[in-house]
Amino acid sequence: MSYSKKRYFIYLFITIFTMLIPFITINDNHLLLLSFDKLQFHFLGVAYNVNELYVMPFLLMFLFIGIFAITSILGRIWCGWGCPQTIFRVIYRDLIESTILDLRRVKNKQKDIDYTKTKNRVKKYISLILWLIITLIISSNFMLYFVPPEDFFVYLQEPLEHSFMIIFIISVALFLFYDIVFMKENFCVYICPYSRIQSVLYDDNTKQITYDYNRGGKIYENGEKTIFSTKQWKSSEECTTCDLCVKICPTHIDIRKGLQVECINCLECSDACSTVMGKLGKESLINWGSTNRVLNKKRVSLFTKKNITYFVSLFICIFLAFYFSLEKEQFLVNINKTTELYKITSDKKIVNNYVLTIQNSQDETLTFNIKLQDEQNFKIKRAQDSTIEAGKRAKFVLIIESIDELKNIEAKNIPIFIEIYTKEKDLRVIKKLIFSKP
């Protein structure tokens, strides 16, 4: 099977999976959701409040280190096989323009459409309308990663009350329309920063698109074409100079010139070369392999010092993310002192005031109680049972008073612990706070 067909299957899988992710739930929580409305982050069926995003830094570290590791090992495989920009261009250029409307040939991406023909102009307008509809679907699906589907379709019934959501969807759709129709692969070449970091991450062991000039002959010397039109070849040079690898390249480069930042690793040039060389009973001159393997004929090991460092770093990130995810609180508690540091009563007792906020992150209404762990030196002077509905929060003043003057304690800032628990369930959270005295 050619690389192109393999990519199309992967594109189909990515598209279906991406469209379905917002609708997948585990224990009534979404597989992946960042809700600004509810201030929650859902990941793999676990809901985290914004106050619990201590797991997020490790996930971001895993993401970026993972990108560097994949690029170092497999080159720009993301660009050619998973990037939305590439997938959208294939949908518009190869599916709509080429396959459905027959405006261009898939095997010649460098030939422009002939707009002198009226039927071609009509087909072009049809392609634009089709792509605009698809961009609206794409942008709506993207919005589902921030607004859960159960809310999204309700909000659509009242668009004027949710104008920001509608404007966001339309803005993303218009950007995709302009990007895919007018910017094309120029986005990959001039705007996307990913291509600029590949020169730092690549080495001779990186798997990349490599033209085997040992077999085909050198087409370029010092960046300039040498033997091309005259075809003065040695008997051992196999390249036929058919230029199919150039015509089919979506970023308009000649891979025989060597590694270039414009190459998105789509391997269409390899498929084109395989077709021609296959008729001659030979293997493709363009391969997906490292410089050491293809040109230097060296054995390449996956477990180099650099790759092992990447693997260890990724493992540490996953371990820390998993470890801190276990620290997820059963409900959220936040305690802040008021502007008054302390107050002394007429009977020489010391009083500290706090603002206590409790958020019920459970799916049922709960009643919360408070008690002190150190009841020998302190007591709660004022606190009340608080009944909070599911997903709601309550804020009230907590007043803690010392039993005596605390002369037996030298420290001016005394750490004490309070326990917040529920009546309905065995849920409890212990919080540390500072009690101040003269």
Side-chain angles (χ1 to χ4, degrees), residues 24-74:
I24 301 175
T25 58
I26 302 174
N27 298 326
D28 295 328
N29 294 323
H30 290 268
L31 190 67
L32 181 63
L33 172 71
L34 179 59
S35 175
F36 294 103
D37 183 23
K38 298 180 180 179
L39 298 178
Q40 288 183 339
F41 174 62
H42 292 206
F43 183 68
L44 299 179
V46 180
Y48 296 92
N49 191 272
V50 291
N51 296 329
E52 299 179 290
L53 291 186
Y54 35 72
V55 70
M56 183 66 77
F58 302 107
L59 294 178
L60 292 176
M61 288 169 61
F62 179 84
L63 174 64
F64 284 104
I65 295 175
I67 291 174
F68 295 153
I70 291 175
T71 305
S72 177
I73 298 171
L74 299 175

Side-chain angles (χ1 to χ4, degrees), residues 54-257:
Y54 35 72
V55 70
M56 183 66 77
F58 302 107
L59 294 178
L60 292 176
M61 288 169 61
F62 179 84
L63 174 64
F64 284 104
I65 295 175
I67 291 174
F68 295 153
I70 291 175
T71 305
S72 177
I73 298 171
L74 299 175
R76 291 180 67 181
I77 187 173
W78 163 254
C79 295
W81 296 72
C83 179
Q85 170 78 16
T86 304
I87 296 176
F88 297 157
R89 276 296 293 166
V90 168
I91 292 174
Y92 178 71
R93 180 194 59 229
D94 294 357
L95 180 60
I96 296 178
E97 287 191 333
S98 302
T99 305
I100 298 177
L101 300 177
D102 196 26
L103 276 170
R104 62 168 79 239
R105 293 182 61 201
V106 176
K107 294 183 178 181
N108 192 346
K109 295 180 173 58
Q110 304 209 15
K111 185 178 180 180
D112 293 329
I113 300 173
D114 183 7
Y115 291 113
T116 59
K117 298 179 181 179
T118 304
K119 66 175 184 178
N120 284 353
R121 292 198 296 270
V122 174
K123 288 181 178 179
K124 183 66 176 179
Y125 293 139
I126 295 174
S127 72
L128 295 178
I129 294 173
L130 290 175
W131 178 242
L132 183 60
I133 295 173
I134 293 175
T135 57
L136 289 171
I137 296 174
I138 294 171
S139 57
S140 297
N141 179 256
F142 180 62
M143 193 70 201
L144 294 179
Y145 285 85
F146 304 96
V147 178
E150 59 269 21
D151 295 335
F152 177 79
F153 295 106
V154 174
Y155 294 165
L156 283 181
Q157 299 173 14
E158 300 176 342
L160 295 179
E161 295 185 8
H162 302 90
S163 56
F164 178 80
M165 184 184 76
I166 303 300
I167 292 173
F168 181 85
I169 293 173
I170 295 175
S171 300
V172 172
L174 291 176
F175 170 77
L176 290 177
F177 183 83
Y178 176 78
D179 174 31
I180 302 304
V181 175
F182 298 102
M183 293 189 66
K184 307 176 184 178
E185 278 73 24
N186 290 327
F187 181 89
C188 307
V189 176
Y190 299 110
I191 297 178
C192 181
Y194 187 46
S195 62
R196 300 302 185 264
I197 68 173
Q198 68 175 359
S199 58
V200 179
L201 299 174
Y202 276 32
D203 59 21
D204 289 340
N205 292 324
T206 300
K207 201 171 183 180
Q208 56 190 280
I209 313 303
T210 306
Y211 166 68
D212 190 354
Y213 57 77
N214 294 327
R215 290 175 49 208
K218 290 188 176 182
I219 306 298
Y220 290 84
E221 289 286 353
N222 299 321
E224 299 293 333
K225 286 182 181 178
T226 53
I227 308 168
F228 187 77
S229 57
T230 59
K231 205 172 185 303
Q232 300 171 359
W233 298 107
K234 298 177 182 178
S235 59
S236 61
E237 294 173 340
E238 301 176 14
C239 181
T240 63
T241 67
C242 64
D243 274 359
L244 289 182
C245 61
V246 180
K247 294 177 181 178
I248 203 170
C249 179
T251 55
H252 299 187
I253 64 171
D254 188 345
I255 195 61
R256 296 170 299 180
K257 192 176 181 180

